[in-house]
Amino acid sequence: MNKEQCFHVGRIAKVHGLRGEVNVVLDVDYPEDYEGLQHLFLEQKGRLVPFFLEHFVIQHGGRALAKFEELNTIEQVEMLVGLEVYLPLTELPELEEDQYYYHELIGYEVFDQTLGLIGPVQIIYDLETQDLLGVTHQGKEVLIPIQEGIIQKVDKAAKKVYCQLPEGLLDIYLED
């Protein structure tokens, strides 16, 4: 399993208790969808390694309490603290027709209501303050906020993102 076939779920924050449990900080929109997971992939030295779970219990505040099979002591799980947690893309919860996952937008063409074609989505920036589409326009990267009012519609069948860019946004990136 490689990262391109997976999505980021969170990271192991700390050891919990004396019996090999860990706290996982989740980086997902709906943590309750992940209650009762049976396995996770942990990134160790650039590789995703599968770990099977005895339990995965969702806690308040976007956290989960995880217990891995055959890891029963603090010493055995201390080495996992700080590791990033992944799941296969096939385990993403189903979405409604008008919903989408950010990773799906890579490669989509972005169109502005006034300016027409802007360019293809190259990358998604998932930042603490806001999420951004990284779009190539006239050979330069343009960052478009993923916000209601800017992103008008996503047409998954046509692989297009329709938006209404704030006035002057493109000009900022095109100035020399």
Side-chain angles (χ1 to χ4, degrees):
M1 186 75 47
N2 60 45
K3 276 191 186 179
E4 290 74 35
Q5 298 169 308
C6 294
F7 67 100
H8 186 253
V9 175
R11 81 178 165 75
I12 297 180
K14 64 181 183 175
V15 173
H16 178 88
L18 304 173
R19 297 199 167 98
E21 291 177 308
V22 294
N23 280 319
V24 179
V25 175
L26 299 172
D27 184 21
V28 295
D29 291 333
Y30 303 103
E32 63 276 6
D33 289 346
Y34 300 90
E35 180 84 38
L37 283 177
Q38 296 181 357
H39 67 277
L40 294 171
F41 286 86
L42 302 182
E43 185 177 15
Q44 294 181 314
K45 298 179 183 173
R47 295 185 156 204
L48 295 183
V49 179
F51 281 79
F52 292 93
L53 293 158
E54 285 183 19
H55 62 256
F56 192 81
V57 181
I58 303 301
Q59 312 266 285
H60 69 296
R63 294 180 175 263
L65 183 62
K67 171 70 175 77
F68 296 103
E69 289 182 3
E70 300 180 22
L71 299 179
N72 299 310
T73 67
I74 292 174
E75 293 77 24
Q76 290 175 310
V77 295
E78 278 179 331
M79 65 181 183
L80 304 178
V81 173
L83 295 183
E84 300 298 322
V85 178
Y86 292 85
L87 280 173
L89 290 172
T90 55
E91 299 208 20
L92 281 169
E94 290 292 318
L95 296 177
E96 299 294 324
E97 180 82 20
D98 61 339
Q99 295 177 312
Y100 54 89
Y101 288 109
Y102 288 167
H103 74 271
E104 294 177 301
L105 301 180
I106 294 174
Y108 281 32
E109 293 287 340
V110 176
F111 289 84
D112 178 67
Q113 287 182 342
T114 307
L115 304 170
L117 177 64
I118 304 300
V121 177
Q122 299 293 330
I123 190 169
I124 306 293
Y125 294 101
D126 184 11
L127 307 175
E128 268 187 51
T129 53
Q130 72 178 348
D131 300 318
L132 303 164
L133 297 176
V135 178
T136 302
H137 179 71
Q138 296 182 7
K140 296 187 178 182
E141 183 181 49
V142 175
L143 301 179
I144 300 173
I146 302 174
Q147 295 178 353
E148 198 173 310
I150 293 176
I151 304 297
Q152 302 294 308
K153 177 184 172 188
V154 173
D155 184 338
K156 291 200 267 190
K159 296 192 174 200
K160 294 180 179 177
V161 177
Y162 297 96
C163 62
Q164 184 172 357
L165 295 178
E167 192 173 324
L169 179 68
L170 278 185
D171 298 333
I172 294 168
Y173 293 100
L174 299 177
E175 291 176 354
D176 285 327

